[in-house]
């Protein structure tokens, strides 16, 4: 298997995880949000646990979907500027962006998120509200796991861009939905 083939396989795995997380969390998030909203608006009943569950689902979608969004090129970019650049310039910017911004950011998420998760687990942290959810470490684990998924996605993109700059690939990465097709 070639290096680019391995990168694309890794990318397909990250995209699969992101899609799975979206399906497993977005539908319950919508259901819990609607149920909570109807209960508060029409029946004047609210639930601390439901509100916490809403932000838990939301955090899971955001953190565990970072790698997916990066590979699908679905994150914020200045497209009006980027679209005017040559493929070579885009590849250099993407490569340096991965190495100088994405990797350190992901390492912070993994290391500090891991510490936060571990401390939460060891102290059996629960919500401050008396009726809040227990086992806070479960949702906090989305920080290091999301950081790891984004780091793997960034490493794959960096390798593919380096291969492009070395003349061993036909296009830079990411290329939107291309990671899923290839």
């Amino acid at each position: 298997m070639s290096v680019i083939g391995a990168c694309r396989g890794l990318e397909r795995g990250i995209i699969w995880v992101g899609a799975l997380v979206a399906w497993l969390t977005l539908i319950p998030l919508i259901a819990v949000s609607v149920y909570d909203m109807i209960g508060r608006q029409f029946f004047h009943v609210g639930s601390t646990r439901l509100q916490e569950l809403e932000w838990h689902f939301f955090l899971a979608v955001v953190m565990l979907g970072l790698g997916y969004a990066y590979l699908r090129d679905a994150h914020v970019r200045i497209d009006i500027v980027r679209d005017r650049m040559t493929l070579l310039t885009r590849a250099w910017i993407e490569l340096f962006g991965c190495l100088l911004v994405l990797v350190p950011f992901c390492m912070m998420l993994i290391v500090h998120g891991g510490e936060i998760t571990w401390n939460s687990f060891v102290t059996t942290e629960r919500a401050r509200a008396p009726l809040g959810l227990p086992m806070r470490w479960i949702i906090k684990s989305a920080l290091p796991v999301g950081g790891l998924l984004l780091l793997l996605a960034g490493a794959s993109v960096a390798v593919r861009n380096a291969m492009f700059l070395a003349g061993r690939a036909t296009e830079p990465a990411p290329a939107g939905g291309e990671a899923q097709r290839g």
Side-chain angles (χ1 to χ4, degrees):
M1 176 182 270
S2 71
V3 173
I4 292 176
C7 288
R8 289 187 183 194
L10 176 62
E11 290 171 13
R12 279 192 297 274
I14 293 167
I15 288 171
W16 183 84
V17 168
L20 180 66
V21 165
W23 280 106
L24 292 178
T25 55
L26 279 176
I27 293 171
L29 172 60
I30 292 167
V32 167
S33 298
V34 168
Y35 180 80
D36 187 41
M37 183 181 62
I38 289 172
R40 283 186 287 119
Q41 292 298 318
F42 298 108
F43 302 108
H44 304 291
V45 287
S47 169
T48 302
R49 287 187 175 196
L50 280 178
Q51 289 176 351
E52 284 188 14
L53 197 56
E54 288 174 36
W55 74 259
H56 282 207
F57 280 134
F58 182 74
L59 180 68
V61 168
V62 170
M63 291 308 301
L64 301 176
L66 288 173
Y68 173 90
Y70 183 58
L71 290 174
R72 299 292 293 214
D73 212 10
H75 57 297
V76 176
R77 287 193 184 269
I78 305 173
D79 290 334
I80 196 164
V81 175
R82 183 178 184 240
D83 291 344
R84 294 183 179 157
M85 295 178 182
T86 66
L87 291 179
L88 193 63
T89 303
R90 287 185 204 177
W92 278 111
I93 290 172
E94 201 72 42
L95 179 61
F96 283 125
C98 285
L99 297 176
L100 300 176
V101 178
L102 190 97
V103 169
F105 173 73
C106 290
M107 293 309 295
M108 282 182 19
L109 274 178
I110 293 167
V111 171
H112 295 297
E115 290 172 359
I116 289 168
T117 302
W118 179 250
N119 289 337
S120 181
F121 176 76
V122 169
T123 62
T124 62
E125 180 185 7
R126 60 175 295 119
R128 290 185 185 154
L131 297 174
L133 295 173
M135 296 186 285
R136 207 30 97 72
W137 65 270
I138 294 172
I139 191 59
K140 288 185 177 185
S141 66
L143 295 170
V145 173
L148 178 62
L149 290 169
L150 182 58
L151 179 65
L152 291 172
S156 179
V157 167
V159 167
R160 288 182 56 205
N161 278 298
M163 298 291 281
F164 173 76
L165 292 168
R168 296 179 55 198
T170 58
E171 62 183 9
E178 176 261 320
Q180 190 174 17
R181 289 191 308 267

